[in-house]
Amino acid sequence: MKKPKKIPLRKCIGCSESKPKQEMIRIVKNKDDEVFIDETGKANGRGAYICKDIKCFERAQKSKAFQKAFGQNVSQEMMETLRRALTDL
């Protein structure tokens, strides 16, 4: 018999719940210190995951989880881009 395929889990920086990687949004900081949404899930750099829920985004923004995850301030422009992406889902 075949073993069932393992589903990779990731932890949300907003609510701290572990969920399947495919159900989350990956945000990446690359070596040039650019922060962006990784739609492929394979971009090089430091990644952080967040649920596709605006409440998790607001919780992460309030607790400065993005800044902690990337070790730098995240631009207001990037935060607005992420907010728009979450509200469009």
Side-chain angles (χ1 to χ4, degrees):
M1 287 183 51
K2 275 187 157 181
K3 287 184 179 180
K5 191 171 181 177
K6 185 179 175 188
I7 298 172
L9 298 176
R10 297 294 182 264
K11 187 182 261 189
C12 174
I13 63 172
C15 65
S16 298
E17 286 186 31
S18 292
K19 296 184 179 180
K21 183 178 171 181
Q22 297 300 322
E23 294 178 13
M24 302 183 84
I25 296 174
R26 182 171 188 245
I27 299 110
V28 177
K29 179 187 103 168
N30 64 14
K31 64 182 178 181
D32 298 325
D33 292 335
E34 298 170 328
V35 178
F36 58 94
I37 297 172
D38 178 16
E39 295 177 9
T40 65
K42 298 180 181 181
N44 289 332
R46 173 78 174 136
Y49 289 84
I50 190 160
C51 297
K52 296 178 180 179
D53 183 6
I54 195 71
K55 291 178 185 175
C56 285
F57 171 78
E58 289 169 353
R59 202 175 299 143
Q61 192 174 21
K62 186 176 181 181
S63 68
K64 298 186 180 183
F66 293 104
Q67 289 81 348
K68 292 173 189 172
F70 299 129
Q72 72 177 36
N73 286 331
V74 179
S75 71
Q76 195 63 33
E77 179 183 318
M78 178 57 206
M79 297 305 265
E80 285 303 316
T81 303
L82 185 55
R83 180 183 294 281
R84 272 187 254 115
L86 286 169
T87 54
D88 290 345
L89 294 176

